[in-house]
């Protein structure tokens, strides 16, 4: 894993482009296909099902982007989980009316919050969620920032599920081949940066606070994804 032994965090182009820049719009479209190739929605839905003792009432997604990733998760869960209140936090407001309507049709009530995640978590420590999710988001932050974020998240929900880029040779090679699906220069650049900033082993577990006690599960799923689950209390069915 030469050159990949340690996380390297570099700026991503998409984070620096204006919201409506055509390259940014195209890259967000690419991201949907990347999420599909990585099977991120399927993985998140199955981790939520496996780790929630009963159907949740309130879910928070941090770094939710345009909400289309969580919509795919909701489509998988909605047959069993209805009347969910979903809060989508992102520093940009990207969720379209079409997505709001699609969540509504599934019986999920969505609220978007445009905020920096650190400020949101600090200011909403008293908010109770049943679960918090993050997809292709944590790798933006260094270990110190993640420690601070995790300390806050451990106070606001009993379950945290993250699906992040796996840092490894195959994911890096595959990022370099995204031209094959027509991905633009922004997506191709940011995909490689994301893999180098991604996670392996038990790196996320090491950053989760020791108190209150949580059970941690971290592992690779599929070829490209590192999953992390922190769950307070007993396992479902235990
Ligand atoms: C790679 S995108 C992933 C979006 C979504 N989770 C998905 O899978 O489609 C990362 C998102 O994190 C958001 N973001 C980055 N830094 C943030 C911060 N400090 N606070 C809130 N959102 C942030 C960006 O605006 C972007 O929408």
């Amino acid at each position: 894993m030469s050159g990949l032994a340690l996380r390297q965090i570099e700026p991503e182009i998409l984070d620096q482009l204006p919201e409506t820049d055509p390259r940014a719009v195209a890259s967000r479209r690419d991201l949907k296909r990347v999420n599909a190739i990585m099977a991120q929605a399927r993985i998140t839905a199955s981790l939520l099902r496996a780790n929630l003792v009963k159907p949740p009432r309130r879910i928070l997604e941090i770094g939710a982007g345009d909400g289309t990733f969580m919509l795919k998760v909701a489509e998988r869960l909605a047959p069993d989980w209805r009347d969910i209140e979903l809060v989508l936090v992102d520093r940009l407001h990207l969720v379209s009316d079409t997505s709001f309507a699609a969540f509504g049709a599934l019986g999920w009530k969505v609220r978007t919050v445009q905020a920096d995640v650190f400020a949101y978590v600090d200011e909403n420590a008293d908010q109770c969620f049943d679960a918090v999710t993050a997809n292709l988001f944590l790798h933006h932050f260094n270990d110190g920032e993640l420690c601070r974020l995790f300390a806050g998240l451990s106070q606001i929900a009993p379950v945290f599920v993250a699906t992040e880029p796996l840092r490894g040779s195959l994911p890096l090679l595959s990022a370099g081949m995204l031209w094959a699906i027509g991905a633009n220069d922004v997506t191709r650049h940011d995909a490689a940066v994301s893999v180098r900033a991604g996670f392996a082993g038990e790196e996320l577990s090491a950053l989760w606070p020791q108190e209150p006690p949580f059970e941690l599960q971290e592992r690779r799923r599929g070829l490209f994804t590192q999953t992390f689950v922190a769950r307070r209390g007993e396992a479902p069915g235990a």
Side-chain angles (χ1 to χ4, degrees), residues 15 31 35 61 63-66 69 89-92 94 115-118 135-137 140-141:
D15 293 330
L31 183 58
N35 268 328
E61 188 191 4
D66 64 9
F69 162 75
V89 174
D90 199 282
R91 62 185 179 75
L92 301 177
L94 298 167
D116 174 73
V117 70
F118 293 94
N135 182 57
L136 304 184
F137 178 59
H140 283 86
F141 305 109

Side-chain angles (χ1 to χ4, degrees), residues 148-169:
R148 179 180 154 206
L149 183 61
F150 286 180
L153 294 178
S154 70
Q155 301 298 322
I156 65 176
V159 173
F160 175 58
V161 168
T163 40
E164 288 295 311
L166 173 70
R167 194 175 73 255
S169 310

Side-chain angles (χ1 to χ4, degrees), residues 40-90:
Q40 299 294 81
R42 180 175 60 72
I43 295 171
T44 295
S46 83
L47 289 174
L48 284 171
R49 263 189 213 284
N51 286 285
L52 284 162
V53 180
K54 55 181 190 206
R57 302 302 309 267
R58 301 189 76 218
I59 298 176
L60 167 69
E61 188 191 4
I62 52 174
D66 64 9
T68 54
F69 162 75
M70 194 42 121
L71 183 56
K72 294 282 176 213
V73 175
E75 283 167 358
R76 290 173 176 273
L77 296 173
D80 305 310
W81 293 2
R82 293 191 73 79
D83 300 322
I84 307 285
E85 185 190 335
L86 176 66
V87 178
L88 302 177
V89 174
D90 199 282

Side-chain angles (χ1 to χ4, degrees), residues 161-185:
V161 168
T163 40
E164 288 295 311
L166 173 70
R167 194 175 73 255
S169 310
L170 179 65
L172 190 59
L173 185 72
S174 306
M177 295 178 66
L178 282 174
W179 54 266
I181 62 160
N184 76 0
D185 62 315

